[in-house]
Amino acid sequence: MARPGPAVQALLELLDEAYGHRSWHGPNLRGSLRGLDAAQACWRPGPGRHSAWELVVHAAYWKYAAWRRITGEKRGSFARAGSNWFAAEAGPSAVRWRTDLKLLADCHDRLRAAVATLGDEDLVRRLPRGRGTAGWVVRGAAAHDLYHAGQIQLLKRLMKGHEAR
């Protein structure tokens, strides 16, 4: 396979830095999850607020949605029924937590692989059904990871303050 063009290569680096590669801005999404166990991942700061675990599955879903938009795949192949936000399962489980972390990693890898197949010229073409361009979707996916990484960092700080009481 040919090396991606410079614009695609830049987007691949952006995706990787936002998800799991070293970046100058601090923790990326995977880094924000490092060290969280299942019980901590279930913690929520208040009623109606999301837990880190819910953010993980939400981020996985939107990586899947970005992959689907870029590849033209139909809906319905995500690992969970539904879309966007998924009901938290009852109680913490180390096995389920590892499974959902793997789901996030797998969705990242699949999105990254789809982006790697694009040519630079593909990044500016309108996607089917008026969903912006591939470049727009990929940049949004990276920004989405960083947004939720920040939320998870805040949750961890709030959790520590809550435990100190």
Side-chain angles (χ1 to χ4, degrees), residues 102-119:
K102 183 172 179 352
L103 173 65
L104 178 62
D106 291 348
C107 288
H108 175 79
D109 291 345
R110 190 185 328 180
L111 173 58
R112 190 187 192 290
V115 172
T117 68
L118 299 174

